Amino acid sequence: MNKVLKGLVAVAATAAMAVAGFAGASTAMAVDGNTVNVTVPGAESNLNGHAYTAYQILSGTQATSGGALGDAEWGTGINDAAFLKALKADTTIGEYFTKVTDAKGFAEALSNTNNFPADGANTRLVAKIAMKHTQGAGTALAAGSSTQLDKGYYLIVDSTTDGQTVYNPAVLAITSDIEIKDKTDVPTLEKKVQENKKDATGDTAYGSKFNDVADYNIGDEVPFHLIGSVPDMSQYETYTYKFTDTFDKGFDAVDTSNVKVYLSNDKKLDLEGESVDTDITSYFSGTNGSIQYTAATEAQGETAGTLTVSTKDLKKAATYSKEQPQYVIVSYTAKLNANAKIGLPGNVNEAYLTYSNKPDQSGTGDNNTNDTPHDKVIVFTYGLDVTKVDSKNTETKLKDAEFKLKNSDGKWATITDGKVTGWADTELQGSVLKSDESGKFKVEGLDDGEYTLKETKAPAGYNLPADGFSVTLTATTANNQAWDGTATKALTNLAVKVDQTDGTGDVTTGLGAITIKNTQGSSLPSTGGMGTVLLYVAGIA
């Protein structure tokens, strides 16, 4: 499916992403130009889809370009009284602001790099507190161009514009021209299903046959992967990370004891190779997190239930690296059951990821979260609609013909109420399919593939065929990574053939209609004919 999400971008400038460079408040300076240019790259960069707003915290004067600011005053973008009060009340950094009463004192406190090192946790905490006490609309920084700002200290707030509200504050000393740089992305979420026969086309980065579309028998265990990227979590002390996966009624409840979570350097699992992926299931269970399946209520309609896989703190399990992206992969199976829709509209599985998007003053991300766009996969199953007729007059429908169905692996179908429930090892264990008054019977819940219909009992007066009937169901499905969520684009054709004769396939019903003919047996002498006379003659002799 289309790759979801743009991303959370922290502000990094040619000056460090931290408060720095304040001079003593008493120093008098001559102004050498008091505006600078702040540039945000356009659509060609990874910053596309973001909005940036600058809130002035401090203003001041500067003797030389890039030099320290003096004569600090509160800026127009901060509620200074509330800001100072919150700084002093904070249990982590409050002691550094105890004696501060004005902008100059605030500037001097932040100039102590022992307490506020560049891009350190304390500096980030100042930015978080400042974000809660901004005032006014701030100054929007236009993408693809430069915006002039007065020199000073600014809170730069980044929020995405594609439906996700993600905030990432940074306090910057803007004293010379700067360009905002790409630093990180919000996590992405992709959902994949493994097809059991057809190869995936397009991007094969997800592992063998994993893609957006698959078809299976009812009763099969269908493998799924949830793939979430690891984001930059440096703004947080803890980071919430929760997968939510919802199933149509065509799937049984997931056995949570078989759900596994791995940390991988790519989007596929490597459980036997040279660089085996790391099992991090323990971080998503017990006191660290939760793996649960919740059955749906009546009001939830076609929904069967929801699987959630979450951790309170992803930072304990994974570390962000721009040079080597990492992914959290949830691996599990869900059984396709008798409630599965045959043909269109298919059986959908939909997932999304909930993540921390706005660290509070303590640095925890559990109180402010957002969701990724939802991603879907779809699973199809099909059926046979069989009509038994006389070989000479196809309008004559034959009842009470009995069949058993064998798949290409030599297994025999077990069937309840016309739907496949499983596959037995022996013919004796296979279920009987019997034609009705109209010569019809159906069997639903079949995968794309080759089958044999073996007639085990012919209608009265008809010969039992020596060989089984070869049946082929061929479904044209879009086994790629770019499915847009429209079911009719995932399943586009269904063909069926019995021996060398084409039947009629219907994607809407998911049924392949075929006709099977029976030949009448040899005629016997009628009662009172010549055969009886000959017997009398023989008796007299």
Side-chain angles (χ1 to χ4, degrees):
M1 199 158 176
N2 42 351
K3 305 301 180 287
V4 289
L5 305 169
K6 300 295 181 181
L8 167 64
V9 177
V11 179
T14 51
M17 187 179 71
V19 287
F22 265 92
S26 61
T27 305
M29 297 184 182
V31 178
D32 178 23
N34 202 43
T35 62
V36 292
N37 292 314
V38 179
T39 302
V40 178
E44 75 283 354
S45 75
N46 288 334
L47 305 184
N48 190 29
H50 292 258
Y52 293 89
T53 306
Y55 296 89
Q56 189 184 54
I57 297 177
L58 295 177
S59 64
T61 59
Q62 186 181 36
T64 60
S65 178
L69 290 176
D71 295 332
E73 299 288 345
W74 289 114
T76 58
I78 196 76
N79 181 336
D80 55 276
F83 180 42
L84 265 182
K85 183 178 179 180
L87 287 172
K88 292 179 180 182
D90 188 83
T91 56
T92 302
I93 60 175
E95 62 181 300
Y96 305 133
F97 298 98
T98 302
K99 298 180 180 180
V100 174
T101 59
D102 56 17
K104 295 177 183 178
F106 171 73
E108 289 175 351
L110 263 67
S111 67
N112 185 333
T113 55
N114 290 326
N115 297 334
F116 299 98
D119 199 18
N122 286 349
T123 300
R124 294 194 296 271
L125 185 50
V126 171
K128 296 169 193 174
I129 296 173
M131 190 168 65
K132 296 177 180 291
H133 300 289
T134 58
Q135 64 182 15
T139 301
L141 305 179
S145 62
S146 295
T147 303
Q148 279 196 338
L149 295 177
D150 290 338
K151 294 177 180 179
Y153 269 28
Y154 287 82
L155 173 72
I156 308 294
V157 177
D158 163 25
S159 59
T160 60
T161 59
D162 57 358
Q164 301 174 90
T165 305
V166 181
Y167 299 103
N168 190 33
V171 175
L172 290 178
I174 300 180
T175 59
S176 59
D177 292 350
I178 67 168
E179 179 180 353
I180 291 178
K181 304 288 187 181
D182 171 31
K183 186 178 181 182
T184 187
D185 293 318
V186 291
T188 62
L189 181 280
E190 293 176 90
K191 171 76 182 177
K192 298 298 174 184
V193 61
Q194 188 177 36
E195 163 61 28
N196 57 346
K197 298 176 182 178
K198 307 166 189 172
D199 290 328
T201 59
D203 191 349
T204 58
Y206 301 92
S208 177
K209 294 181 172 60
F210 275 96
N211 73 116
D212 293 337
V213 182
D215 40 28
Y216 278 87
N217 297 295
I218 287 177
D220 285 348
E221 291 283 350
V222 182
F224 295 97
H225 280 174
L226 300 172
I227 307 166
S229 63
V230 175
D232 185 342
M233 301 173 284
S234 60
Q235 293 278 359
Y236 301 82
E237 297 302 318
T238 61
Y239 194 89
T240 297
Y241 201 83
K242 178 182 178 181
F243 296 93
T244 301
D245 199 358
T246 303
F247 300 83
D248 276 357
K249 284 188 174 180
F251 294 98
D252 280 353
V254 175
D255 182 355
T256 56
S257 66
N258 293 328
V259 176
K260 298 295 182 183
V261 187
Y262 298 91
L263 185 65
S264 176
N265 288 338
D266 50 34
K267 296 180 181 180
K268 59 186 176 183
L269 284 183
D270 182 3
L271 302 180
E272 298 178 353
E274 294 181 3
S275 57
V276 177
D277 294 330
T278 304
D279 188 333
I280 56 172
T281 308
S282 61
Y283 293 99
F284 287 80
S285 57
T287 57
N288 295 309
S290 173
I291 300 176
Q292 293 184 335
Y293 182 89
T294 306
T297 63
E298 289 265 340
Q300 290 175 296
E302 292 300 314
T303 300
T306 300
L307 173 69
T308 56
V309 181
S310 64
T311 178
K312 299 175 183 177
D313 187 12
L314 185 63
K315 293 185 73 170
K316 291 181 178 179
T319 303
Y320 171 78
S321 170
K322 186 174 182 180
E323 290 71 30
Q324 176 55 72
Q326 288 190 313
Y327 300 90
V328 177
I329 301 178
V330 180
S331 177
Y332 68 92
T333 64
K335 183 182 288 187
L336 199 64
N337 64 36
N339 294 317
K341 299 179 185 70
I342 309 302
L344 291 172
N347 304 277
V348 175
N349 189 215
E350 182 172 340
Y352 63 91
L353 178 65
T354 300
Y355 56 90
S356 297
N357 77 321
K358 186 178 180 182
D360 60 23
Q361 291 184 24
S362 67
T364 60
D366 55 342
N367 295 323
N368 299 281
T369 59
N370 200 26
D371 299 336
T372 66
H374 293 210
D375 197 13
K376 298 178 181 180
V377 297
I378 191 167
V379 177
F380 293 103
T381 191
Y382 317 104
L384 290 174
D385 184 0
V386 183
T387 304
K388 185 70 170 173
V389 299
D390 183 275
S391 61
K392 293 182 179 179
N393 181 6
T394 57
E395 294 301 315
T396 301
K397 308 299 189 293
L398 304 179
K399 70 173 185 175
D400 296 334
E402 295 182 3
F403 294 84
K404 290 192 175 185
L405 182 67
K406 182 172 65 172
N407 66 15
S408 59
D409 294 326
K411 305 286 187 178
W412 297 86
T414 57
I415 299 164
T416 301
D417 297 328
K419 293 189 176 182
V420 173
T421 57
W423 298 89
D425 291 330
T426 66
E427 180 181 344
L428 184 63
Q429 294 171 306
S431 298
V432 174
L433 296 160
K434 188 175 183 178
S435 61
D436 62 15
E437 295 285 345
S438 301
K440 286 184 170 293
F441 67 87
K442 291 181 183 179
V443 54
E444 297 180 331
L446 297 175
D447 193 358
D448 165 290
E450 297 179 355
Y451 299 90
T452 299
L453 265 175
K454 181 179 180 181
E455 190 166 351
T456 56
K457 180 181 178 182
Y462 286 81
N463 294 323
L464 185 67
D467 300 315
F469 298 91
S470 176
V471 179
T472 304
L473 272 172
T474 305
T476 303
T477 50
N479 297 98
N480 56 44
Q481 316 298 347
W483 179 53
D484 68 0
T486 305
T488 53
K489 293 182 180 179
L491 173 62
T492 56
N493 190 57
L494 181 64
V496 63
K497 181 177 290 189
V498 55
D499 292 331
Q500 299 302 313
T501 303
D502 289 332
T504 303
D506 186 334
V507 294
T508 301
T509 63
L511 296 176
I514 58 174
T515 299
I516 292 181
K517 300 176 182 179
N518 258 90
T519 304
Q520 287 187 343
S522 301
S523 297
L524 296 175
S526 60
T527 302
M530 286 297 296
T532 306
V533 173
L534 290 173
L535 287 174
Y536 287 151
V537 173
I540 293 171

